[in-house]
Amino acid sequence: MTLSEKFRRGDLMSAACPSREVLKHMTSRWGVLVLIALEGDSYRFSQLRRAIGGVSERMLAQTLQWLEADGLVLRTAYDVVPPHVEYRLTPLGVEAAERVRLLADWIETNLPRIAENWRGSVE
Amino acid sequence: MTLSEKFRRGDLMSAACPSREVLKHMTSRWGVLVLIALEGDSYRFSQLRRAIGGVSERMLAQTLQWLEADGLVLRTAYDVVPPHVEYRLTPLGVEAAERVRLLADWIETNLPRIAENWRGSVE
DNA sequence: ACAGGCTGCTTACCAATCGTAAGTACGCAC
DNA sequence: GTGCGTACTTACGATTGGTAAGCAGCCTGT
């Protein structure tokens, strides 16, 4: 098996595999939240920023650019003033967002079970 | 609804919610790969390091400590020389790893579709 | 009329994080 | 007795991330 054959389908355990980059974008601190937010609806930049608590404009812009470059998010700019830009998921992005949301949902519902382990120093 | 009621079940869109920390640990660059590796088998430290291409000892140790503190990974140290430490998933960790693997599998199998978007500058 | 706000970014700067390399303690093989 | 293997920790430099300010032009308020 040649290297290119090995990487046609990704191999995350190999340091050199490009799938590592995709993983990095999708599981980045804000990438996860962007995908989940956009799963429900399309958003404008500032709207998305308000929906996701705590993102800086800088990081939101960067995250959206990553996801756009990976073909998960579609950016549509209307040339008006004030600027109007819409972000929505591509079909590929919808599939990705589903998986990410499953993970996020699990964390949200199981937070109590996880948090039990934090009480170590108390008691 | 009080703040504590709001956070008994996590709310990832709120900047102050502790679920953000868990998300950070599970979706960290190495956290994902650790969970997936440990899903199949228990591993010793160095063994895990070799299995996951490209991790430094420093980051592997830190990642394992995060996951241990969240109750996803169980660390068992045998007091022998040379040191022998085993890492395995807890039942909670198994559930988490399943979700993470679904995401990873999707990336690996859909890498070709994603990579198509990178050919923008070529051609 | 004219200051200030809103839009979607980008840039400059500083702090936190991460990776690399080395140190540690101890036993065993050569 | 030199060197390897184990599981880490620590020091330091490089990369990344967050904060704040800038930009360009219309709309609102006074």
Side-chain angles (χ1 to χ4, degrees), chain B residues 66-88:
Chain B
W66 283 339
L67 297 177
E68 195 194 351
D70 291 346
L72 303 178
V73 162
L74 185 70
R75 177 183 184 275
T76 315
Y78 302 95
D79 195 7
V80 294
V81 157
H84 185 141
V85 181
E86 279 208 8
Y87 292 95
R88 75 184 65 232

Side-chain angles (χ1 to χ4, degrees), chain B residues 15-36:
Chain B
C17 182
S19 58
R20 284 270 176 101
E21 273 302 297
V22 181
L23 182 73
K24 182 175 159 184
H25 300 160
M26 284 179 59
T27 65
S28 68
R29 177 162 183 199
W30 307 115
V32 173
L33 302 176
V34 165
L35 287 171
I36 293 171

Side-chain angles (χ1 to χ4, degrees), chain A residues 42-49 60 82-87:
Chain A
S42 71
Y43 278 84
R44 300 180 57 168
F45 186 88
S46 298
Q47 209 178 2
L48 194 52
R49 178 160 140 72
L60 182 58
H84 185 142
V85 181
E86 277 207 10
Y87 292 93

Side-chain angles (χ1 to χ4, degrees), chain A residues 24-37:
Chain A
K24 183 175 161 184
H25 300 159
M26 285 179 59
T27 65
S28 69
R29 179 163 181 197
W30 307 115
V32 174
L33 302 176
V34 165
L35 287 171
I36 293 171

Side-chain angles (χ1 to χ4, degrees), chain A residues 45-46 49 54-65:
Chain A
F45 186 88
S46 298
R49 178 160 140 72
V55 220
S56 64
E57 298 190 348
R58 184 187 185 278
M59 289 315 296
L60 182 58
Q62 187 170 99
T63 302
L64 286 168
Q65 284 163 10

